[in-house]
Amino acid sequence: MSTQFAVSDRIGNTKTVTADSFEQAAILSGLSGPLRVIDVHRNKEARFYVHENTAVLIGYSK
């Protein structure tokens, strides 16, 4: 089930995307580097490092 995610990078660029997972949202945002990904409905957060369509989980909130 798709949900909305807010994705931001360390210099303040922010995008809202609809995706099935935190990882997919990070990649679909088109942003790169360390990213903060927030599920806007459940207020959950994950951090990813994205480079060339590959997302690596850095950390997450419970």
Side-chain angles (χ1 to χ4, degrees):
M1 183 167 107
S2 295
T3 191
Q4 284 191 313
F5 293 89
V7 183
S8 60
D9 64 13
R10 65 178 166 203
I11 59 172
N13 296 317
T14 303
K15 293 192 176 182
T16 302
V17 297
T18 302
D20 294 327
S21 67
F22 284 93
E23 180 180 22
Q24 184 183 38
I27 293 169
L28 289 175
S29 73
L31 300 172
S32 62
L35 303 179
R36 181 178 177 202
V37 183
I38 299 171
D39 180 330
V40 297
H41 298 294
R42 293 183 287 174
N43 200 29
K44 300 282 185 181
E45 178 181 329
R47 293 182 182 263
F48 287 89
Y49 187 86
V50 176
H51 180 71
E52 294 182 3
N53 290 329
T54 301
V56 177
L57 179 66
I58 298 171
Y60 62 94
S61 67
K62 293 186 177 186

